[in-house]
Amino acid sequence: MSEQTTQAQRRAVVVGAGMAGVQTAVALREQGFTGTVTLIGAEPHQPYDRPPLSKAVLLGKSEGSAFDVDFEALGIELRLGREALGLRPAEHRLDTDAGPVPYDVLILATGAEPVMLPGAEGVPGVHLLRTLDDAERLRPVLARQHDIVVVGAGWIGAEFATAAREAGCAVTVVEAADRPLAGALPAEVAAPMAAWYGDAGVELRTHARVERVEPGAVVLDDGTRLPAGAVVVGIGARPATTWLAGSGVELGAHREVLADDRLRASVPDVYAVGDCASFPSARYGERLLVHHWDNALQGPRTVAANIVGEATDEPPAVYDPVPYFWSEQFGRFVQYAGHHGSADAAVWRGDPAGPAWSVCWLREDRLVALLAVGRPRDLAQGRRLIEAGTPMDAALLADPAKPLKAATA
């Protein structure tokens, strides 16, 4: 059998039809994969993008956010409304609720699932915001201008609160920590963001733990009862990997698939990409678990290059991106690039009480991360400087009138 015939007979199966799964299927074709490509998704809808769910879809400005991909023209078979139940690596079989699916190479792209508030399951009026169906259920809630309580002042909580205020709802956000974004940003950086809530007419309650949720109310542990026509829970997400139990695929502390620097899982012929996987970063000297859109866009190119390269003896493609994400909240465009965990200094650019400012994190004299509020040029230049590892001058960096690229040492 010729190598060309072998290639044409290879079966690539992608589990998960979100951004990471769709982009992997597309990248395989773009990079010349000639075998079959099957994309399996648990939801019945045409594959769609998630960021608009907390914005345009939620506010009724858009009916959906389906990817503009001609799957048929690309020769990608869609199997939607099918749930992955298990994996048998030795047999190269994926088990689904519609029966087993054989593969030669399997890509895990099942994303993350929202964490539910303990005791809130099944209570009427409690919502999550992760899927198109979630957004569709919430749209009439906003239209009726209910009193809404949001549990969690993270990225999704802030974005939903923004949309709910735009729809004319009264919104209270309760957060167990002492500030918004406590799990994502240092206290001094997140602190100025607390004022954004009040400016937008949102009541932010920090140090507030939910005791229980009742129909029509949220009860805090200090006895406060907050009226709630609806409750939206945004307290985080965890990798959707419970179905991999017993498969031999190695999982990490957060139940994520432990991928290597080529995004390969611990069993043969299996890759993992997007929210469900972590990867070792040589740039940052630690393993990263990145739950953001850009990671689900970039990783698939590395996966496809390595799958196609297996048959052509191409050198392996290593995945070590500068993580990037953005958020639109309370009239502000917030962007972040890099990873600040290893930084030893932070340099501010501009007044955090104002409409536009940035924070730059340095390790020794190299830029390792940057948060930009209303300063997209800082973000664009900073991202390139992080990638290049360019030495920076902290004094020049602190001048918000100077372009970042002019603040090099």
Side-chain angles (χ1 to χ4, degrees), residues 46-70:
Q46 278 290 112
Y48 61 87
D49 203 6
R50 292 189 191 279
L53 296 184
S54 61
K55 305 173 186 75
V57 176
L58 195 58
L59 291 169
K61 297 177 181 177
S62 168
E63 284 306 309
S65 54
F67 291 113
D68 184 18
V69 174
D70 190 335

Side-chain angles (χ1 to χ4, degrees), residues 55 155 158-160 162 326-334:
K55 305 173 186 75
W155 301 112
E159 289 178 5
F160 178 79
T162 301
W326 80 97
S327 176
E328 295 175 76
Q329 51 183 268
F330 309 121
R332 292 165 174 84
F333 187 41
V334 183

